[in-house]
Amino acid sequence: MKPCLRQPRRNAKMSRCSFRLGKWILAFFIIFLALIPLKRHAADAFEIRDYDVKVSVGEDNAYEVVEMINVEFSEPRHGIYRTIPLSYDGRRAKITQIGVAGWDMKTSTDSRNLVIRIGSEDEYVSGSQTYAISYRYALPPDRSEEYDEFYFNLIGNEWPVSIDRVSFSVDMPKPFDTGKVSVYSGAYGSESADGVDFDAATDGVSGKTLERLSPGESVTIRIELEQGYFKESLISKLTDFFFEYAYVVLGALLLAGGFLTWRKYGRDERLFVAPEFYPPENMTPAEVGYIIDSTMDNKDVTALLIYWASKGYIAIEEIDKRNVRFHRLKEADDSFKPFEKIMFTSLFDEHGTEGKVDTEDLKYQFADTIRAVKSEISDGLTKYAEKPLYTRKSKNLGRLFKALAFLPLYLVVARYLNSVFGINPTILVSSLVPALAIFIPIALFIEGFKKRYVISKGSILVRILFLLAIVVLGLIVGFALYTIVKAYGVNSTMVPFIIGAASSIGIYALGAAMRQKTEYGKKVMEKILGLKQFIETAEKPKLEMLFDENPSYFYDVLSYAVVLGVTKKWAKKFDDML
């Protein structure tokens, strides 16, 4: 089709253009109108001839419902959909024990309804078919303090087809005032009783429609009952209490228990720190770096190079600003610890040539060795240590409370899903994924803070990126939860989530802090903190005296200053002495 938006020069051209445009408009309307009967045809593929509903009401305000639906199909179809509303007056119904005798079925929920798909994907049905649907329908207690209420949509307004005849019966558990029964029929919001004939006795109500229901029309029954007519079962009360308050009670108990456990088994007694002039005996800077913050950093491992240089095993030569060369002066001997031998052998035998190696040669080649050394050091100080640094009880209790910290947040999520979908066996399982999506970032952040991966040792850029990642992830999770809550119309605030998250953070933090040192661990930490204190506060006369006694004193301590994060302070004190 040629464009028809330019100014025509001749009437003939304008007529041809208008004719072509008219044909396209006409074709559009023909297609549009053709779609309308198709949609009607899909809706008119069946009609409901008879619809019988039997409701048996329990004293706990739970209804056993059986629906017998006789359907006349005008053309082959897989089956029908039964849509049941899930909420009334702000209360969320719990629908369980769903069954359709003799037919395949699948259930799903969409926004405000439970949808039962009845029929097989592989088979078609036609003509007259009867569906027997049964389910248990339970509503929370009504909100009135003046009366109890029975309210039920016998026929919902979700049916897209007409219904020829409706019959119903409602059996009540005990006598009631028959003058307070109302049955309505018609479109949504209708309170007309003209289309229904019913009889009310002290044990129930039965009736039928007097005219055909059009698509979207419903039949509703309401009985106003004396206050206290329904008795909520103990199981129902306990279940409601569990989902409503368990996260608060459990969170408070775990916080209190965690704090008391930390005070008795998790915290250290006060350390007595005195200045130490030399590093702990028989302990490398890599081990000191791990003990000071329970973290095995790259800096802790690479400090071994300075340590070996101070011991005379290697020499360090600066080639240029980007490249440093290491020269092997002596072979590793029996004084080397296993992790030292791993790194020393890999450095010179696997990556070096003729006893020397450049940092340029190690790029992207030395990472596996670094990981192996880190693992060897941390395992040697924890799993296989002859003298453990931390008590086993404190570590086990710490792991326990870290795991228990998940529960308050998990219960909050389960509470929301219960309010949206009602109680069913899948709620406790389906709550795991969103709860973990919130809990894992919390745990990572606390571990990162505790171990000082980025809080104290990382670069400013890494810290910013880490914090931004946590914020973005938190916003995504929060937005997803807000969307779910808003979409399903749950009238609630984010206060429970805040309480649950705060409880989980507090419990996890207490678990992370439970690392009580053994007597040996306390002595080692006192010596390490004493050395750090001396490096930060040492006065020049004392340093001069130590330097005179040991001319290599600066280099002997330098590798330890690196892992303790006080390298610049240590170097500055020797500005005019080296």
Side-chain angles (χ1 to χ4, degrees):
M1 177 179 173
K2 296 181 180 179
C4 297
L5 299 178
R6 66 177 183 271
Q7 183 68 29
R9 295 182 179 179
R10 298 180 182 178
N11 291 338
K13 288 185 178 180
M14 184 170 67
S15 297
R16 286 195 298 271
C17 187
S18 299
F19 176 72
R20 288 196 300 270
L21 185 60
K23 285 197 299 183
W24 281 94
I25 294 173
L26 179 61
F28 171 79
F29 276 106
I30 289 173
I31 294 171
F32 175 76
L33 293 173
L35 291 174
I36 296 176
L38 285 173
K39 186 175 180 181
R40 289 181 56 198
H41 182 67
D44 292 341
F46 69 91
E47 289 185 342
I48 298 176
R49 299 304 182 195
D50 292 285
Y51 202 133
D52 180 66
V53 184
K54 288 182 170 58
V55 183
S56 179
V57 181
E59 289 192 19
D60 58 351
N61 198 24
Y63 320 148
E64 303 292 340
V65 183
V66 178
E67 302 178 359
M68 298 292 293
I69 309 173
N70 180 253
V71 175
E72 185 73 32
F73 287 95
S74 58
E75 61 182 63
R77 281 288 184 267
H78 290 288
I80 63 173
Y81 289 89
R82 172 69 172 103
T83 303
I84 306 173
L86 283 169
S87 61
Y88 164 67
D89 192 28
R91 292 178 288 160
R92 193 76 178 178
K94 300 164 187 176
I95 302 175
T96 56
Q97 302 175 21
I98 303 167
V100 183
W103 295 92
D104 293 340
M105 71 151 201
K106 289 185 179 179
T107 62
S108 62
T109 49
D110 65 3
S111 65
R112 300 175 184 274
N113 302 304
L114 170 73
V115 179
I116 309 173
R117 191 184 74 179
I118 306 170
S120 172
E121 295 179 351
D122 303 323
E123 297 179 7
Y124 285 90
V125 295
S126 60
S128 179
Q129 303 291 337
T130 300
Y131 300 96
I133 306 171
S134 60
Y135 54 91
R136 190 173 192 271
Y137 184 96
L139 274 174
D142 60 72
R143 297 177 177 179
S144 173
E145 296 182 358
E146 299 178 359
Y147 58 84
D148 281 356
E149 179 185 55
F150 167 71
Y151 182 96
F152 189 64
N153 284 316
L154 296 164
I155 306 294
N157 56 11
E158 298 81 19
W159 285 106
V161 298
S162 59
I163 303 174
D164 290 350
R165 292 171 296 275
V166 175
S167 58
F168 61 88
S169 64
V170 178
D171 296 327
M172 300 298 289
K174 49 190 178 181
F176 61 94
D177 186 348
T178 58
K180 294 186 176 181
V181 179
S182 302
V183 183
Y184 313 115
S185 67
Y188 179 79
S190 171
E191 294 186 359
S192 172
D194 296 339
V196 182
D197 179 36
F198 68 92
D199 294 317
T202 56
D203 61 347
V205 181
S206 61
K208 61 182 179 180
T209 55
L210 301 175
E211 54 192 26
R212 189 186 204 197
L213 294 181
S214 299
E217 292 189 329
S218 62
V219 178
T220 302
I221 182 171
R222 179 184 181 274
I223 306 176
E224 186 176 312
L225 305 161
E226 64 179 347
Q227 182 68 22
Y229 183 90
F230 291 118
K231 303 295 183 183
E232 194 174 5
S233 68
L234 178 61
I235 293 177
S236 177
K237 288 180 179 179
L238 291 175
T239 302
D240 290 342
F241 177 83
F242 175 80
F243 280 106
E244 190 66 27
Y245 303 110
Y247 74 96
V248 177
V249 176
L250 187 62
L253 289 175
L254 288 175
L255 278 171
F259 179 73
L260 294 175
T261 303
W262 170 78
R263 280 183 61 87
K264 187 171 183 179
Y265 300 109
R267 67 172 179 167
D268 286 322
E269 297 177 5
R270 185 176 178 182
L271 298 176
F272 296 95
V273 179
E276 292 284 341
F277 307 142
Y278 289 94
E281 189 176 353
N282 196 31
M283 190 164 286
T284 67
E287 294 167 300
V288 169
Y290 177 82
I291 294 171
I292 192 65
D293 59 8
S294 301
T295 301
M296 201 69 250
D297 297 305
N298 288 339
K299 189 185 296 184
D300 299 335
V301 177
T302 55
L304 288 172
L305 296 168
I306 302 173
Y307 175 72
W308 291 335
S310 70
K311 299 289 185 181
Y313 287 94
I314 67 172
I316 302 174
E317 176 188 1
E318 184 177 355
I319 304 301
D320 53 48
K321 292 182 178 179
R322 295 186 177 183
N323 192 18
V324 174
R325 179 170 294 164
F326 302 104
H327 298 267
R328 181 174 58 197
L329 302 180
K330 294 191 296 184
E331 293 288 348
D333 53 33
D334 292 340
S335 66
F336 273 46
K337 296 185 176 182
F339 63 85
E340 289 184 271
K341 290 182 179 179
I342 292 173
M343 182 169 167
F344 197 88
T345 301
S346 177
L347 185 67
F348 292 105
D349 293 348
E350 296 177 13
H351 297 90
T353 303
E354 297 179 355
K356 60 184 178 182
V357 63
D358 292 358
T359 52
E360 289 290 334
D361 300 330
L362 299 176
K363 280 186 177 180
Y364 315 114
Q365 304 292 324
F366 208 54
D368 290 340
T369 300
I370 294 292
R371 280 193 291 269
V373 171
K374 284 182 177 181
S375 178
E376 188 75 19
I377 295 171
S378 60
D379 288 348
L381 291 171
T382 54
K383 294 181 181 179
Y384 312 117
E386 294 181 4
K387 295 181 179 181
L389 297 170
Y390 303 98
T391 64
R392 178 173 295 183
K393 180 178 285 188
S394 69
K395 290 192 290 184
N396 289 338
L397 287 171
R399 295 187 191 102
L400 175 63
F401 276 92
K402 285 180 184 180
L404 293 174
F406 175 67
L407 291 178
L409 201 53
Y410 167 71
L411 291 175
V412 169
V413 174
R415 175 183 182 272
Y416 268 95
L417 292 182
N418 170 61
S419 66
V420 172
F421 299 107
I423 296 176
N424 63 72
T426 64
I427 287 294
L428 297 178
V429 177
S430 58
S431 302
L432 287 171
V433 174
L436 285 171
I438 307 172
F439 181 75
I440 290 174
I442 290 174
L444 289 175
F445 185 81
I446 294 174
E447 290 296 331
F449 185 88
K450 173 194 142 188
K451 295 185 176 182
R452 305 196 303 185
Y453 274 122
V454 295
I455 302 301
S456 64
K457 289 195 171 186
S459 66
I460 294 176
L461 178 60
V462 172
R463 294 182 219 175
I464 293 173
L465 290 176
F466 179 81
L467 294 174
L468 280 177
I470 293 295
V471 171
V472 170
L473 185 57
L475 289 174
I476 292 172
V477 172
F479 179 75
L481 292 171
Y482 172 78
T483 303
I484 292 172
V485 170
K486 190 170 182 180
Y488 287 100
V490 180
N491 296 320
S492 186
T493 65
M494 294 303 289
V495 171
F497 277 103
I498 295 172
I499 295 173
S503 300
S504 291
I505 290 171
I507 298 163
Y508 194 97
L510 286 169
M514 288 186 199
R515 288 176 69 85
Q516 190 178 70
K517 295 179 182 65
T518 60
E519 288 300 320
Y520 170 74
K522 282 188 274 187
K523 290 180 181 178
V524 170
M525 183 60 79
E526 286 172 349
K527 287 183 177 295
I528 292 172
L529 293 177
L531 177 63
K532 184 179 180 182
Q533 183 188 85
F534 176 71
I535 292 173
E536 292 176 325
T537 62
E539 296 181 356
K540 191 171 182 180
K542 182 63 177 177
L543 290 174
E544 288 177 342
M545 183 186 74
L546 291 168
F547 189 72
D548 290 340
E549 292 176 358
N550 178 14
S552 64
Y553 179 70
F554 171 78
Y555 296 102
D556 289 345
V557 177
L558 178 60
S559 59
Y560 295 90
V562 170
V563 299
L564 294 174
V566 288
T567 311
K568 291 182 179 179
K569 290 182 179 180
W570 185 241
K572 189 174 182 180
K573 292 180 183 294
F574 285 84
D575 277 346
D576 55 351
M577 296 172 63
L578 297 175

